[in-house]
Amino acid sequence: MSDSVFSKIISGEIPTDFVYEDDQVVVFKDINPKAATHLLIVPRKPIATVIDLEDEDQELMGHIFLVARDVAKKMGLEGYKLQINVGEHGGQEVFHLHVHLLSKFS
Ligand code: AMP
């Protein structure tokens, strides 16, 4: 079990408004935005990093990117950056896998 801040957000221990949620992922605003739009797409499954992905997570990872596409489309974003920081050497600070969605437009 992960006890990261994102697990607490997913469990409701840390109250957070979700931009989108379903049975596999939640999407919420980054608390320290680095762009006009800065969302985090986070699987409910507490996978620490990309390094820890298992073959069975293939569908989940595909779902994460389709959710990114759909949320961005709903927000009217025509372009954006998707970023995954992997491990301490990759600049990852929260060890619960997540995808950053960044856009200079909001
Ligand atoms: P990373 O460096 O890829 O692990 O990114 C972690 C991100 O989580 C950072 O951009 C933080 O600003 C963000 N973050 C940390 N705590 C919270 C929180 N409680 N709510 C929303 N975003 C958070």
Side-chain angles (χ1 to χ4, degrees):
M1 262 309 267
S2 156
D3 60 354
S4 75
V5 64
F6 291 171
S7 285
K8 290 181 177 141
I9 287 172
I10 290 163
S11 72
E13 194 179 327
I14 298 175
T16 303
D17 288 331
F18 293 148
V19 174
Y20 171 87
E21 66 174 309
D22 62 27
D23 61 335
Q24 295 184 78
V25 304
V26 298
V27 181
F28 52 88
K29 292 182 179 171
D30 195 292
I31 203 168
N32 181 21
K34 293 166 187 75
T37 298
H38 188 170
L39 302 178
L40 300 170
I41 302 138
V42 185
R44 292 184 185 276
K45 183 177 177 182
I47 303 162
T49 82
V50 164
I51 297 162
D52 301 293
L53 282 169
E54 296 174 355
D55 291 351
E56 67 179 27
D57 298 319
Q58 182 170 348
E59 198 175 320
L60 173 61
M61 291 308 291
H63 182 66
I64 286 172
F65 282 94
L66 293 181
V67 166
R69 176 200 65 184
D70 291 346
V71 168
K73 186 175 180 186
K74 202 167 178 188
M75 293 177 74
L77 299 173
E78 293 177 11
Y80 44 90
K81 186 188 292 189
L82 296 176
Q83 180 175 320
I84 304 178
N85 298 327
V86 183
E88 209 177 321
H89 291 189
Q92 186 173 357
E93 291 175 0
V94 176
F95 283 81
H96 182 133
L97 191 149
H98 53 282
V99 176
H100 296 258
L101 189 160
L102 299 132
S103 173
K104 57 183 173 182
F105 299 100
S106 54

